[in-house]
Each structure stands twice: as C-alpha cells, then as structure tokens.
Amino acid sequence: GAGVSQSPSNKVTEKGKDVELRCDPISGHTALYWYRQSLGQGLEFLIYFQGNSAPDKSGLPSDRFSAERTGGSVSTLTIQRTQQEDSAVYLCASSRNLVAGELFFGEGSRLTVL
Amino acid sequence: KNEVEQSPQNLTAQEGEFITINCSYSVGISALHWLQQHPGGGIVSLFMLSSGKKKHGRLIATINIQEKHSSLHITASHPRDSAVYICAGNSGGSNYKLTFGKGTLLTVNP
C-alpha cells in the first residue's frame, strides 16, 4: 500500500476482553515498530520486528501483550484481559530496514477500555 | 528523568516568527529523529540526522553529537505549523528502541 495502514482506528472494549490491533506496513519495509501513546504522555516503544523476528520484547508492558508478524508484512498486536490502563493510541511504524532512517507512521488505533 | 529532554514544552508564536525547539539527550545515540504530530492526527517524520544540518523547505534541523544537542528551526512560521514536535534518539545505529522526548506543543497565531 501507499502508506502504513492500521485497523481498527477506534476500539472500545470492556475490561477483561481481548483485543487485536493490526498493522499493514509499506510494501518492502522489513522493519516494523509498535509504540503506545497514552493520554498526556509521550510515545513509548513497545516492540520491533526485523522481518518476522522480534529480537527484544522487553518494551511490552506486561505478559498480557504479545505481537506477531507473518510473511514479513502484516503485524498483529494482541492485548489479553484488557485493563483500563491499556487505554491509549497504539501506533505502528515501518522503515526500509532497521538502519535506514525514515520512519513512516500509521494513523494509530485508539483503544478505550471501559 | 527522561533520557531525551525537549524545551520548551509549550511555545506560542506569531505568524512569521522564527521558531527554535531544542532537544538534549543523555544517552549515547547515533541518530536523532524529529517528528511532527498534528492534533488528532498521525505522526510524520520530518528529519533523521546523525551529524550537521538538514533543511527541508522552511524547516532546518541541526545536531551536535558531541554536545548531545539538536535543534529544530522553523523560519517564517505559519499557523499550519501548529503541532506537537517530538525528538527521538536511536542507539546502536538502528531505529530499534527509540527514546522519545515528551514533545513541544507549538501554536502559531495568525
């Protein structure tokens, strides 16, 4: 696609439910990143992928968070047993590779946990 | 203490003014990103630089790796420049695990 696409753009869920957020990066970009932006807070790194591999998952806030990437393309961020503190905008970005610089961001998925 | 500090946190200017936003970092980085986020909008990458200066239109970014400092300048500011400007440092020569500043909210009044 022409840009990074994220879905859903908005998700309202009840506490305790599982949610899946999807990111479709720019075609040919091998590096993909997930970030979180909570209300009034700065951007927080969650996880990155080089191809289908996620070498470092230490940025994930808890074991309720997981992410995968298949075919070197689409990535899914899954949050299990959502809590109110998970409410945030989840942003995905991609770049040509880990070294080559420019980041291209999606519009984000706004998650609200009631 | 955040490893990447921006100043000012908020900046209000009149149209046409020259704007400077500063970014200092305590971590060792190999490159620094400047990002722009419009209210309710997505994030756009403005610059990635590891040395010297880059210019794009009315925007200029400079970095001094030794002093661990970067600046973003906007010449002839315009109300459409109103946005949050974020700097982020990457270590290890890759985009892996960017450390973000908290952002500078710029408002340019007509």
Side-chain angles (χ1 to χ4, degrees):
Chain A
V4 178
S5 177
Q6 291 188 246
S7 62
S9 54
N10 276 287
K11 176 72 175 179
V12 180
T13 191
E14 293 179 347
K15 178 181 171 181
K17 301 282 190 184
D18 296 352
V19 296
E20 281 191 355
L21 307 176
R22 175 188 166 109
C23 174
D24 199 343
I26 291 174
S27 178
H29 280 192
T30 62
L32 184 148
Y33 317 83
W34 284 99
Y35 304 99
R36 179 169 74 171
Q37 188 173 36
S38 303
L39 186 64
Q41 301 297 312
L43 282 155
E44 174 189 13
F45 169 84
L46 297 179
I47 191 170
Y48 81 98
F49 289 88
Q50 174 62 25
N52 292 333
S53 173
D56 185 347
K57 301 178 181 178
S58 63
L60 295 176
S62 76
D63 59 9
R64 296 185 294 103
F65 288 71
S66 62
E68 66 174 12
R69 188 180 185 193
T70 56
S73 181
V74 173
S75 176
T76 302
L77 178 68
T78 301
I79 310 172
Q80 295 179 306
R81 304 182 303 282
T82 52
Q83 303 294 311
Q84 286 184 331
E85 61 263 27
D86 299 334
S87 297
V89 176
Y90 290 82
L91 290 154
C92 175
S94 69
S95 63
R96 193 176 305 279
N97 55 54
L98 277 182
V99 177
E102 187 176 3
L103 292 170
F104 294 84
F105 284 82
E107 292 293 316
S109 293
R110 181 177 298 277
L111 174 65
T112 303
V113 182
L114 301 177
Chain B
K1 179 171 163 55
N2 201 32
E3 294 174 323
V4 177
E5 296 283 345
Q6 287 185 236
S7 63
Q9 285 186 304
N10 291 279
L11 181 56
T12 300
Q14 288 300 123
E15 183 173 356
E17 286 185 359
F18 180 82
I19 305 290
T20 296
I21 300 171
N22 295 300
C23 179
S24 298
Y25 47 92
S26 58
V27 294
I29 69 165
S30 57
L32 187 129
H33 295 256
W34 279 102
L35 310 171
Q36 180 192 57
Q37 185 173 31
H38 282 283
I43 296 176
V44 174
S45 174
L46 298 175
F47 297 102
M48 175 183 166
L49 64 166
S50 55
S51 66
K53 179 169 85 172
K54 287 189 176 180
K55 184 175 189 293
H56 181 72
R58 294 180 296 105
L59 301 178
I60 303 166
T62 63
I63 190 169
N64 186 317
I65 292 290
Q66 288 75 22
E67 293 186 5
K68 296 185 177 179
H69 183 269
S70 176
S71 293
L72 176 69
H73 306 285
I74 305 175
T75 61
S77 59
H78 190 277
R80 64 175 174 267
D81 297 326
S82 298
V84 175
Y85 292 85
I86 303 165
C87 66
N90 66 323
S91 57
S94 79
N95 283 329
Y96 162 61
K97 209 165 186 176
L98 288 179
T99 303
F100 295 90
K102 293 190 183 299
T104 295
L105 174 61
L106 172 65
T107 304
V108 181
N109 294 316

